[in-house]
Amino acid sequence: MMMSMSPMVRQGYGHGPGSSGGVSPGPGGGGIPVTPITPMIMQQHHQQQQIVATQPPGGSVSLALLIDFIVQKTYNELTVMADLLPRKTDMERKHDIFSFSSRTRLLATRLLALVKWASSAAKVDKSVHIMSFLEKQSMLFTDTADVLAKIARETLVHARLPNFHVPAAVEVLTTGTYNRLPTCIRERIVPPDPITGIEKKNTLNKLNQVIQHRLVSAILPVQMRNLKIEHGRVTFHVENEFEVSLTVLGDSPNIPWKIIEIEILVEDKDIGDGMSLVHPLQVSFLHQLAQGRLETSLSPLRELYETLHTFAQSLQLEVLYTQALKLCRERLGDYLIIEEYSIGQSLVLGYWNELSSHDPKAELGYRISVSVDCSDIAQPLGVTHQPLLPVEEAVQTIEGLRTNQLEKMLIQTVYLRSKSRLVELSKEIEIYLGVKPVISGSPAVLNISILMPCLPSEQLVVTVNIHTGGFLVNVPQFETSPPIVKDIAHMLNSPTPEMTKFKSLISQLRYWITERRCEKTLQHLPASAADGITLLKWEENPILSKIGPHRLTIKFQKHPYAILIVEFLEKEECMREMEYFFHLIMVKKASADENEELSLGSSSGSAAPKFYLRPVNILPLDTFAATHGPFTAIDEPESNDLTIGGKRKLSASISLGAEISPEPKKQKNPPYFIPELAHIVAMCDERLPFALLAHELSSRGVIHGGCIAEANGTCLSIPIFRFLTNSSGIPERLIRKLHLRLESAFIRSQVQIKGFKTWNLELKFGNSGLDIPGISNPVNYVFEMALSSEDHIPKLLDSIMDHWLGIARMFMLLEKSKWLTRLFQQGVVGIKSFTWNNFTLFYGPGKIARANFMYSLNDKCYKVYFGGLVSHNPHTLLRPQLQSYLNSEKSWVLENLVKLLQETYEPLSSLVKLPTTIQLGTVSHRPQLPVQTFILIPQSTCHIRVVYNNIYCLDVHFQPEGLVSIRDGAYSLFDKTQVLGDLTPTQGLKAFLSKYVDESAVFRRRSQSEDDNPPSPISTLLEMEQNVATPTGGPGSSSSFLSKPQSPAPGRSNPHTPASPHITPTPTGFSPATSFANLASPPSLPHLSQPSPNPGGSLIGHHPAPSPSSTQMPAPSPSGGPLSVPTPSPNPSSLSTNAPGPGSAPTLMSSLGGHPSPFFTHAEGSPAAVQSPWGMANSPSMPRPSPIRAGHSPASMLEGRGSIANRVLPQRSWAGAIPTILTHDALEILCTPITTVDSGQDPGNSDHQGYPCSPLERFLGCSNLRRQLQRIVQAEEHLTLLPSTELGVLLFRSETMQFRVGLDPANFQYLHLKINTVTEVQFQWNSEEVQLLETFFATKVVRPPFRPNALAAFARMISLPPRVIRDLIQIIRLQLLPSIIEQQSWKWHVQLCLTVPPSALPIIAPGMPAVVISQSKFLIYVSSNELF
């Protein structure tokens, strides 16, 4: 406790529990004064310690102040230099500027170092503060010990305690109180105890009794009888004036009343904003005045009432006057006049000043006066009206005065005045018009019914203008009031109204409203009112001249050649009812002088009309007959008709002699709707087109039954009994046969769901014993009903006849094809429906494809559309070619087309699997140019060109028996040595396709055809040299279109490796079939020549001598690849050593001159030649078939010709131009994307998983990259191209390595890189580095999507210096072996970019090679990704 005392406490420390703030003087003299230790002193000391602790240590400055000093110093030096430098020389200025820059830079460097140090100086500052705190604590402990020692040695030696007050202490300790204080303290300071609640209650009750006694004995005004006594006071409440509270200060009768509180109850909710209208000072003055009068008056309560009542009335008048001023200023203006205002006495207001001038009842004007009752001042304010109002009405106006609302009082007054005027007007109207108006609403409104029945909105509404007092007339139904309403209002507001004129104006208004009703009825009908139509010679026509002035001309929107005139007249027995007369007029446009008739379709270009309508025929319509025809029923009003004795209904006025107003019958239609008009307009609009159509049918010789109503009046129709029989291009007998199958034909008009009308032609044909779905269903054609029926009817009839001819042509197409039912019964195709204008059938495997045949009326030809159960029908690609073939003038075109669809579905399905996506980076110099991967270009129904990346082209020909032929489309069809356009020949295409040749399937299909049709050898040789022509055939000829394709020979080990089955291994490691397939051109025999480039030349007579090298089998090259150049073997027994196996029979057949043909045709000597669509290809580059005689197998032929040595030709560049025959299964394998392909050389280099790519795309992509690599190597400075004897193999070298690039001979789908180290150089590569480069080339460079720029980047990479290549190989190792990164637990994965990514800096365009060499500098793009 003593050690922790602060220095401030050292000077004063009291001793002993009885210390009273000081130390008693010792015996030797005065004591030392001691400062007491209080909590306030300790708190101040603690605050001072905190302030000292928060201040920076000595010699420190804040960083902000330091930066401010540096900026000010730099700015000051700049200012001084700006003033002094202009006076110095150039050298001095440079010296000063350099010195300033050096100083400023040094200063900024120091500041930067200080700032960087300050960011890490928090720990140092914290340590400094801790040491400072510990030093202060140590100092406190030392000072405390010194002070205590001083007190013990000097101060406490002489200190003495005072004498204790023992009695007081004993009293406090024993009793807990101290009672020895002086009594004056209690008397002067301690207040007396308050009275209790019971005493308060008794006192107030006694005071209430005193007040009651005083009120009973005093004179109390009547208005102050509303009082309440409680809590010793009485409260008087006078409604809408004041409230006052009184009390008495004793029970003596002479003590006056004492006013406690006064509250003025007069208020103005509009102006006062809810606040009191009297200021507190005014209330205080009123309080003093009333208190003075209470003390001096003999009748104090009456005096109090008169004083407060007078003040309240004066305040009420002031409030009303203020409201009147506000109304005049803001809204009413001159309509309200303040004629007189006497403060505290009266307020006089004037209104309806304009009406006062000509109203005899208001000579003194219309006034309202609010005043004080002078006879009895105690009465409230009163209201007086001029002219006087009835007492019961005047009482209603006082309601606004009670709430101090002048506007409410004025509104009630004007309402009563308006209602009084309308009552007088209604009495006069009832006398003159015989109609009892109805007064309703507030403000009062007088409703006059003009028509019967009449809508409330159609009534004539008369009301009084609240501002002027005049009459206002309006018809609420119409936004723009008619001019007649203004005339009625002017007549009613005149000083002397004429009611006879009023009756005439009401009649005109009735006609006007009736005309608007007619227009309203026509809103939803195809007709409209037309007032601007001018009819020539109106007065000269005996019918038109009788039509009155009250009429409406109606024009039809769809029939401009007809108009309808409606005349309406008032009924004599009831003026409020109308009767209607209709006249239908057929018109024609004519000039004003009628010298020239014009077409209805012509129109004038100027504003003034140039043409007029001339009535041609006028037909008065009988309303009763038109509305009571068959299937017709409309609502008729029966309010004024009575039935007498079962006879005809007579009007009430005739039978009873007086007008009777029976109860109106409830109408089903609204009053504004005229059912007679709507029915007649709809009838004319519906029947006019049928009349024109019937006339047009008769004029064209079509037999019909006229317009009739059918189906209980739901629609009109025209039955057709016979169409025209003389149709162009269709035999008349076929039309008659079609008429025999026609059961019924109707032309109807229908209203569609959306509301527009259409024509409907319904044709129903008989079954005739054919069990075809949909043949018995009615055929419906819908035609749009145009606006102008007169111009539209001939076009409509032309369309109807065109559809009839379309049905006839579809009937003619199927009538010639008798095989329809037979194919359906055999299950070859599935017929979905035949609706006479549409023929739909299913075909293909499982009947998943759909073909829809129809005849197009617009193009005048047959159309075919494809669909099916799958997402895409491949025949959509050949739709133009198939459609052209369908429209050819041939007898059996539909039969052949269906067979063609059946045969070509599978190969087309395979071809459409080729990707057609757009790729970037395909063009090396323009990588951002989009190029489509595969483009399928149909050439004919059985010929498609497949273009890959706009570089390679393949010609695919479809053949029967499940075969296709493929050739290189880059070569001309006429000259195999000439390349077409910008296309590039595909090197190695023949060898690649031979891998997929199914020799057994091709031989089996060919042998089946040859067994049926054995050809002649002479005709076969002649056939090969001729161009392709389409033979003719009859319906009974047999065809292979419908024969089922033969399944391939069993025994395949792997379906994805379509090599020939039963391959016999040879010492060279390759099968004979593969070796033969790798030949660039087919071998020839001594008696047959090679294919001539000129297809027109004869093959006979051009037999070149066989080459000596062609008599031996090819020996394998040292490389062991199939693409090596064949060399003659010196061993004459090579034929027996390399004897072909069973799988090589088709190759041997090709050597004998019997290579397969892509055309489907028979030999000329065949007894059953049939027409085939395959002959439409007309491709001169494809030779005709050369079938082998029946009974000759490939083995027997080989044995019979064992003495003839096989001759192998050297490889030729145009070998791909010779077609290769494949099966559909092989084509499916070629075009189907797969993710992995077995590699023949290195199984570990198979393609990456997850990237599907078809074998054909892989082969073409690799071929393109191999071709691009040769160009890239030639362009690189540090790469040297080496000569190669192997076809398709590229050899080149760099400074330290030699490279060999070639296709994988196992599947031709990979480019393999073989690297050998150059022994002549000192720098050598180890096997791991070589393997990493080869793997990187196979997995990252030559992989889909086969970008040439990636290959160019790799070529530049291997041309770099060896040390750079070695560093890049380390990056490649991390990229190919991610397990290294996982083992090292690295956070980043690095990859070597081959093309410039889009996110890179814009140094090089995206997509270009990512390795750039510029003299001695290299730019290499590397991508690093963070691992999570």
Side-chain angles (χ1 to χ4, degrees):
M1 294 292 294
M2 299 298 293
M3 295 299 293
S4 62
M5 189 177 296
S6 63
M8 297 182 64
V9 190
R10 297 175 188 172
Q11 299 179 3
Y13 186 80
H15 296 274
S19 179
S20 60
V23 180
S24 301
I32 300 175
V34 179
T35 303
I37 302 174
T38 62
M40 183 64 68
I41 294 176
M42 296 179 67
Q43 182 178 4
Q44 292 177 358
H45 175 63
H46 181 65
Q47 291 177 357
Q48 291 179 1
Q49 285 183 341
Q50 290 181 349
I51 293 173
V52 171
T54 55
Q55 292 179 354
S60 63
V61 65
S62 64
L63 182 61
L65 184 62
L66 179 61
I67 295 175
D68 192 14
F69 286 163
I70 294 174
V71 171
Q72 292 293 337
K73 180 177 181 300
T74 306
Y75 178 74
N76 186 24
E77 292 181 357
L78 279 175
T79 306
V80 173
M81 287 176 61
D83 295 338
L84 299 179
L85 287 181
R87 308 172 188 174
K88 297 182 179 182
T89 62
D90 183 61
M91 185 57 67
E92 291 177 347
R93 284 198 297 268
K94 291 180 180 178
H95 182 269
D96 292 346
I97 292 173
F98 179 77
S99 300
F100 169 74
S101 301
S102 300
R103 292 194 306 273
T104 306
R105 181 179 181 184
L106 181 61
L107 190 61
T109 304
R110 291 177 179 178
L111 178 61
L112 179 62
L114 181 61
V115 170
K116 290 183 178 180
W117 176 84
S119 62
S120 62
K123 298 181 180 179
V124 178
D125 294 341
K126 190 174 182 180
S127 302
V128 170
H129 289 149
I130 292 174
M131 294 178 63
S132 176
F133 175 76
L134 294 177
E135 290 178 357
K136 290 179 181 179
Q137 292 294 326
S138 177
M139 184 179 62
L140 288 176
F141 291 147
T142 304
D143 293 344
T144 302
D146 294 342
V147 171
L148 290 176
K150 183 178 180 181
I151 291 174
R153 295 171 183 174
E154 299 177 2
T155 306
L156 296 181
V157 173
H158 304 287
R160 298 291 185 272
L161 291 175
N163 295 326
F164 294 107
H165 195 185
V166 177
V170 171
E171 184 179 4
V172 171
L173 292 175
T174 55
T175 62
T177 60
Y178 185 70
N179 297 323
R180 299 189 182 189
L181 292 175
T183 57
C184 64
I185 296 177
R186 176 179 297 176
E187 293 175 356
R188 295 183 181 180
I189 297 176
V190 178
D193 296 335
I195 62 176
T196 63
I198 297 176
E199 293 175 349
K200 288 182 181 180
K201 185 177 181 180
N202 293 335
T203 304
L204 292 177
N205 290 336
K206 189 174 181 180
L207 187 59
N208 290 340
Q209 295 175 0
V210 174
I211 292 174
Q212 290 178 359
H213 179 266
R214 292 283 297 270
L215 291 176
V216 171
S217 60
I219 300 174
L220 187 65
V222 181
Q223 290 80 3
M224 297 181 62
R225 297 296 174 87
N226 186 10
L227 55 89
K228 181 173 62 175
I229 301 174
E230 61 180 1
H231 305 304
R233 66 170 64 182
V234 58
T235 302
F236 298 99
H237 180 82
V238 180
E239 186 178 1
N240 201 27
E241 291 188 6
F242 62 87
E243 185 179 270
V244 61
S245 297
L246 305 176
T247 187
V248 292
L249 302 180
D251 55 355
S252 175
N254 297 326
I255 297 177
W257 291 93
K258 185 69 175 179
I259 300 176
I260 300 176
E261 182 182 6
I262 296 177
E263 182 180 1
I264 303 300
L265 301 180
V266 179
E267 61 180 359
D268 185 2
K269 298 180 181 179
D270 297 333
I271 299 179
D273 294 332
M275 301 175 60
S276 177
L277 299 179
V278 183
H279 197 272
L281 295 178
Q282 293 176 327
V283 176
S284 177
F285 172 77
L286 191 62
H287 190 164
Q288 296 175 4
L289 178 63
Q291 185 65 41
R293 292 189 179 184
L294 283 176
E295 294 175 356
T296 59
S297 176
L298 299 177
S299 179
L301 296 180
R302 179 180 291 276
E303 188 71 23
L304 175 65
Y305 172 75
E306 291 178 355
T307 301
L308 298 178
H309 175 69
T310 302
F311 179 79
Q313 283 189 339
S314 177
L315 185 60
Q316 282 181 327
L317 287 175
E318 185 68 23
V319 168
L320 295 178
Y321 175 68
T322 306
Q323 291 179 0
L325 288 177
K326 184 177 180 182
L327 288 174
C328 293
R329 182 176 63 253
E330 294 181 357
R331 286 185 290 170
L332 299 181
D334 297 338
Y335 296 115
L336 180 65
I337 300 176
I338 303 175
E339 297 184 355
E340 180 183 356
Y341 173 61
S342 299
I343 300 176
Q345 295 298 323
S346 64
L347 174 65
V348 181
L349 303 175
Y351 60 95
W352 287 7
N353 296 326
E354 297 180 3
L355 185 62
S356 303
S357 59
H358 56 80
D359 189 358
K361 298 180 181 180
E363 297 178 357
L364 301 178
Y366 290 90
R367 296 181 182 179
I368 180 172
S369 176
V370 182
S371 60
V372 178
D373 192 353
C374 298
S375 60
D376 187 2
I377 194 173
Q379 295 296 326
L381 294 176
V383 180
T384 306
H385 296 276
Q386 180 67 33
L388 297 177
L389 285 176
V391 179
E392 59 274 7
E393 295 181 356
V395 173
Q396 300 178 7
T397 60
I398 303 178
E399 183 66 25
L401 187 61
R402 294 176 181 174
T403 57
N404 297 330
Q405 292 180 341
L406 178 63
E407 187 175 5
K408 183 177 181 180
M409 184 172 58
L410 288 175
I411 290 174
Q412 188 66 23
T413 302
V414 171
Y415 169 74
L416 295 175
R417 294 288 187 188
S418 302
K419 188 174 181 181
S420 176
R421 295 203 66 193
L422 292 177
V423 168
E424 296 177 0
L425 180 62
S426 65
K427 293 179 181 179
E428 296 181 1
I429 291 175
E430 188 174 0
I431 294 173
Y432 285 94
L433 297 182
V435 178
K436 186 176 182 180
V438 180
I439 300 177
S440 61
S442 178
V445 175
L446 180 65
N447 299 311
I448 305 173
S449 297
I450 304 298
L451 293 168
M452 188 176 67
C454 186
L455 287 174
S457 59
E458 291 180 339
Q459 294 177 348
L460 182 65
V461 177
V462 181
T463 185
V464 177
N465 191 339
I466 60 175
H467 293 159
T468 62
F471 289 109
L472 297 177
V473 184
N474 185 28
V475 180
Q477 176 67 30
F478 310 102
E479 296 181 359
T480 303
S481 299
I484 307 172
V485 174
K486 297 181 180 179
D487 297 339
I488 295 175
H490 180 71
M491 189 273 301
L492 292 178
N493 291 320
S494 61
T496 56
E498 299 179 6
M499 298 309 296
T500 55
K501 183 179 179 182
F502 177 74
K503 184 177 181 180
S504 174
L505 293 175
I506 291 296
S507 179
Q508 296 180 19
L509 179 61
R510 186 178 294 115
Y511 283 119
W512 189 88
I513 294 178
T514 303
E515 188 174 349
R516 302 290 82 76
R517 282 187 174 186
C518 294
E519 295 176 357
K520 187 75 173 179
T521 304
L522 296 174
Q523 281 186 354
H524 301 288
L525 295 174
S528 60
D531 296 332
I533 293 180
T534 303
L535 291 178
L536 298 176
K537 300 181 180 180
W538 180 281
E539 294 78 6
E540 299 178 3
N541 193 288
I543 300 178
L544 296 179
S545 59
K546 296 179 181 180
I547 300 177
H550 303 293
R551 62 179 181 267
L552 179 66
T553 303
I554 300 174
K555 65 177 181 180
F556 297 95
Q557 297 177 0
K558 299 180 182 180
H559 320 294
Y561 52 86
I563 61 173
L564 181 67
I565 295 180
V566 184
E567 180 186 7
F568 30 85
L569 299 174
E570 297 175 345
K571 291 185 178 181
E572 297 180 358
E573 60 274 11
C574 182
M575 302 293 293
R576 290 187 297 166
E577 293 186 5
M578 289 286 180
E579 55 182 353
Y580 306 93
F581 303 93
F582 302 92
H583 300 79
L584 181 63
I585 305 176
M586 310 302 291
V587 296
K588 281 189 177 181
K589 282 190 176 181
S591 59
D593 53 359
E594 287 192 341
N595 292 331
E596 181 183 1
E597 294 186 0
L598 302 174
S599 173
L600 285 175
S602 59
S603 59
S604 61
S606 60
K610 295 182 179 180
F611 308 115
Y612 299 86
L613 297 180
R614 182 173 61 87
V616 178
N617 189 12
I618 303 175
L619 178 63
L621 300 179
D622 188 351
T623 307
F624 182 82
T627 56
H628 293 78
F631 311 112
T632 303
I634 64 172
D635 298 327
E636 294 181 353
E638 299 179 359
S639 59
N640 293 337
D641 293 343
L642 297 176
T643 304
I644 301 178
K647 296 183 180 180
R648 185 181 178 87
K649 298 179 181 180
L650 301 177
S651 63
S653 60
I654 297 176
S655 60
L656 300 180
E659 184 177 357
I660 300 177
S661 299
E663 294 183 1
K665 185 178 180 181
K666 186 177 180 180
Q667 301 291 325
K668 295 183 179 179
N669 298 318
Y672 64 82
F673 184 78
I674 304 174
E676 298 91 344
L677 175 62
H679 178 78
I680 291 179
V681 169
M683 179 191 68
C684 295
D685 180 74
E686 188 175 13
R687 288 185 175 268
L688 280 173
F690 281 92
L692 289 179
L693 181 59
H695 177 72
E696 188 70 20
L697 288 173
S698 300
S699 62
R700 296 198 181 190
V702 179
I703 303 175
H704 63 88
C707 181
I708 61 174
E710 61 178 0
N712 294 328
T714 56
C715 65
L716 301 176
S717 64
I718 297 179
I720 298 179
F721 302 133
R722 194 172 190 84
F723 288 94
L724 298 178
T725 57
N726 49 351
S727 302
S728 60
I730 303 177
E732 187 175 352
R733 60 174 183 81
L734 201 110
I735 296 293
R736 292 196 187 97
K737 192 173 182 180
L738 184 61
H739 271 114
L740 293 177
R741 297 194 178 187
L742 179 64
E743 293 183 352
S744 62
F746 287 93
I747 300 178
R748 302 183 181 93
S749 64
Q750 290 183 350
V751 180
Q752 301 298 327
I753 298 177
K754 296 184 179 180
F756 59 92
K757 297 182 68 175
T758 58
W759 293 102
N760 183 23
L761 173 63
E762 181 187 83
L763 303 174
K764 188 173 183 180
F765 294 88
N767 190 352
S768 301
L770 296 178
D771 188 13
I772 299 177
I775 194 171
S776 301
N777 297 336
V779 182
N780 291 280
Y781 294 101
V782 179
F783 307 95
E784 182 181 358
M785 186 175 289
L787 297 179
S788 177
S789 299
E790 189 180 39
D791 299 336
H792 173 64
I793 291 300
K795 299 178 182 179
L796 169 67
L797 200 53
D798 292 340
S799 300
I800 291 175
M801 299 309 298
D802 289 342
H803 281 83
W804 169 254
L805 295 179
I807 292 177
R809 289 192 175 275
M810 287 297 297
F811 179 72
M812 181 180 64
L813 180 66
L814 296 178
E815 185 69 16
K816 294 180 179 181
S817 301
K818 298 295 184 178
W819 51 268
L820 185 61
T821 306
R822 185 176 68 254
L823 291 181
F824 178 65
Q825 294 174 355
Q826 294 176 357
V828 178
V829 295
I831 301 176
K832 180 182 179 181
S833 64
F834 173 68
T835 58
W836 294 94
N837 59 348
N838 198 318
F839 173 49
T840 305
L841 57 84
F842 289 102
Y843 65 96
K847 300 179 183 178
I848 60 175
R850 185 182 71 245
N852 189 5
F853 302 91
M854 63 178 61
Y855 184 78
S856 175
L857 301 178
N858 297 329
D859 300 333
K860 304 298 180 182
C861 64
Y862 293 102
K863 296 284 187 179
V864 57
Y865 300 93
F866 297 99
L869 304 178
V870 294
S871 60
H872 177 69
N873 192 327
H875 278 113
T876 307
L877 185 67
L878 295 178
R879 181 174 169 268
Q881 287 75 18
L882 295 174
Q883 195 167 276
S884 176
Y885 180 76
L886 180 62
N887 288 279
S888 61
E889 296 294 335
K890 296 179 181 179
S891 301
W892 307 101
V893 61
L894 185 59
E895 178 181 1
N896 295 336
L897 181 62
V898 172
K899 296 176 183 178
L900 180 62
L901 294 177
Q902 195 78 9
E903 287 287 333
T904 58
Y905 181 80
E906 292 186 2
L908 272 178
S909 300
S910 302
L911 289 178
V912 296
K913 292 181 180 179
L914 295 175
T916 58
T917 56
I918 303 297
Q919 293 186 1
L920 300 177
T922 304
V923 182
S924 58
H925 59 283
R926 297 179 62 186
Q928 297 182 357
L929 179 66
V931 178
Q932 189 170 348
T933 307
F934 281 96
I935 305 176
L936 303 180
I937 307 174
Q939 303 296 317
S940 66
T941 56
C942 55
H943 180 197
I944 290 182
R945 295 175 70 90
V946 181
V947 180
Y948 173 75
N949 283 344
N950 295 336
I951 300 174
Y952 298 134
C953 178
L954 301 180
D955 273 342
V956 181
H957 292 264
F958 304 132
Q959 297 186 4
E961 302 294 337
L963 299 177
V964 294
S965 64
I966 303 177
R967 64 179 294 273
D968 193 348
Y971 292 102
S972 172
L973 297 175
F974 306 99
D975 188 357
K976 294 183 177 62
T977 61
Q978 182 179 359
V979 180
L980 299 177
D982 298 333
L983 298 176
T984 303
T986 308
Q987 190 175 7
L989 177 62
K990 188 72 175 181
F992 170 70
L993 295 178
S994 298
K995 292 290 184 179
Y996 296 89
V997 173
D998 190 352
E999 306 289 351
S1000 60
V1002 174
F1003 176 75
R1004 184 167 54 251
R1005 284 166 173 78
R1006 186 166 51 204
S1007 62
Q1008 290 177 359
S1009 176
E1010 292 166 354
D1011 291 342
D1012 297 334
N1013 304 296
S1016 173
I1018 303 301
S1019 61
T1020 302
L1021 293 177
L1022 294 176
E1023 185 182 10
M1024 292 178 61
E1025 65 179 319
Q1026 294 177 355
N1027 292 330
V1028 179
T1030 303
T1032 59
S1037 59
S1038 61
S1039 175
S1040 60
F1041 285 164
L1042 301 180
S1043 62
K1044 297 182 180 179
Q1046 301 293 334
S1047 60
R1052 293 185 180 178
S1053 60
N1054 188 354
H1056 295 291
T1057 56
S1060 300
H1062 310 295
I1063 298 176
T1064 304
T1066 61
T1068 60
F1070 300 94
S1071 65
T1074 307
S1075 300
F1076 280 116
N1078 293 333
L1079 296 179
S1081 62
S1084 61
L1085 295 178
H1087 65 281
L1088 292 178
S1089 65
Q1090 294 293 328
S1092 173
N1094 185 8
S1098 174
L1099 297 177
I1100 303 176
H1102 299 277
H1103 299 165
S1107 174
S1109 62
S1110 63
T1111 59
Q1112 303 293 335
M1113 295 298 291
S1117 65
S1119 63
L1123 298 179
S1124 59
V1125 178
T1127 58
S1129 174
N1131 186 8
S1133 62
S1134 61
L1135 179 61
S1136 60
T1137 304
N1138 297 327
S1144 62
T1147 306
L1148 184 59
M1149 295 294 295
S1150 299
S1151 66
L1152 297 176
H1155 60 275
S1157 170
F1159 289 95
F1160 172 73
T1161 180
H1162 293 275
E1164 294 180 1
S1166 176
V1170 69
Q1171 179 189 1
S1172 170
W1174 306 99
M1176 292 183 62
N1178 294 328
S1179 176
S1181 64
M1182 294 185 178
R1184 292 193 177 253
S1186 179
I1188 304 175
R1189 292 184 179 272
H1192 291 264
S1193 64
S1196 63
M1197 294 181 62
L1198 183 60
E1199 295 174 359
R1201 299 181 179 267
S1203 60
I1204 302 178
N1206 291 333
R1207 175 174 172 268
V1208 179
L1209 296 178
Q1211 300 189 25
R1212 298 174 182 173
S1213 60
W1214 48 268
I1218 303 301
T1220 302
I1221 306 301
L1222 299 179
T1223 62
H1224 290 177
D1225 296 337
L1227 183 63
E1228 176 72 14
I1229 296 174
L1230 274 177
C1231 301
T1232 302
I1234 55 177
T1235 55
T1236 59
V1237 175
D1238 296 334
S1239 177
Q1241 291 185 351
D1242 189 3
N1245 289 341
S1246 60
D1247 195 10
H1248 296 279
Q1249 297 285 345
Y1251 193 96
C1253 187
S1254 63
L1256 181 61
E1257 183 180 1
R1258 295 177 194 272
F1259 166 71
L1260 295 178
C1262 292
S1263 299
N1264 182 34
L1265 290 184
R1266 182 181 60 184
R1267 186 178 60 88
Q1268 295 287 343
L1269 181 60
Q1270 183 175 0
R1271 177 186 58 82
I1272 294 171
V1273 170
Q1274 292 176 353
E1276 289 296 329
E1277 181 180 359
H1278 300 285
L1279 296 180
T1280 304
L1281 190 64
L1282 302 177
S1284 174
T1285 58
E1286 302 179 70
L1287 184 63
V1289 175
L1290 186 65
L1291 298 178
F1292 61 95
R1293 61 164 295 175
S1294 63
E1295 183 180 354
T1296 58
M1297 290 180 286
Q1298 183 175 353
F1299 305 91
R1300 179 185 182 275
V1301 179
L1303 283 172
D1304 185 1
N1307 47 38
F1308 294 92
Q1309 299 181 31
Y1310 289 99
L1311 273 180
H1312 282 291
L1313 173 66
K1314 182 65 177 177
I1315 303 177
N1316 294 325
T1317 305
V1318 179
T1319 58
E1320 293 82 0
V1321 296
Q1322 184 178 1
F1323 189 88
Q1324 297 295 320
W1325 300 90
N1326 56 40
S1327 59
E1328 183 185 2
E1329 293 172 341
V1330 171
Q1331 185 178 3
L1332 284 175
L1333 280 178
E1334 293 177 353
T1335 307
F1336 182 76
F1337 179 83
T1339 58
K1340 301 298 181 181
V1341 180
V1342 289
R1343 58 163 296 181
F1346 306 108
R1347 291 190 172 93
N1349 285 337
L1351 192 63
F1354 181 80
R1356 294 179 183 178
M1357 183 183 68
I1358 60 179
S1359 64
L1360 295 174
R1363 57 183 181 83
V1364 180
I1365 298 177
R1366 178 157 288 173
D1367 293 338
L1368 294 179
I1369 289 176
Q1370 299 302 323
I1371 299 177
I1372 292 173
R1373 176 183 287 105
L1374 297 178
Q1375 182 177 355
L1376 297 180
L1377 301 175
S1379 58
I1380 300 176
I1381 299 177
E1382 296 177 359
Q1383 293 174 1
Q1384 299 295 333
S1385 300
W1386 291 342
K1387 296 184 178 180
W1388 294 88
H1389 179 266
V1390 66
Q1391 292 182 358
L1392 185 63
C1393 296
L1394 294 175
T1395 57
V1396 178
S1399 59
L1401 294 176
I1403 302 175
I1404 303 175
M1408 296 299 290
V1411 178
V1412 182
I1413 302 174
S1414 177
Q1415 296 178 357
S1416 61
K1417 295 183 180 180
F1418 314 124
L1419 176 61
I1420 302 173
Y1421 286 81
V1422 179
S1423 173
S1424 59
N1425 300 321
E1426 186 177 2
L1427 299 178
F1428 297 97

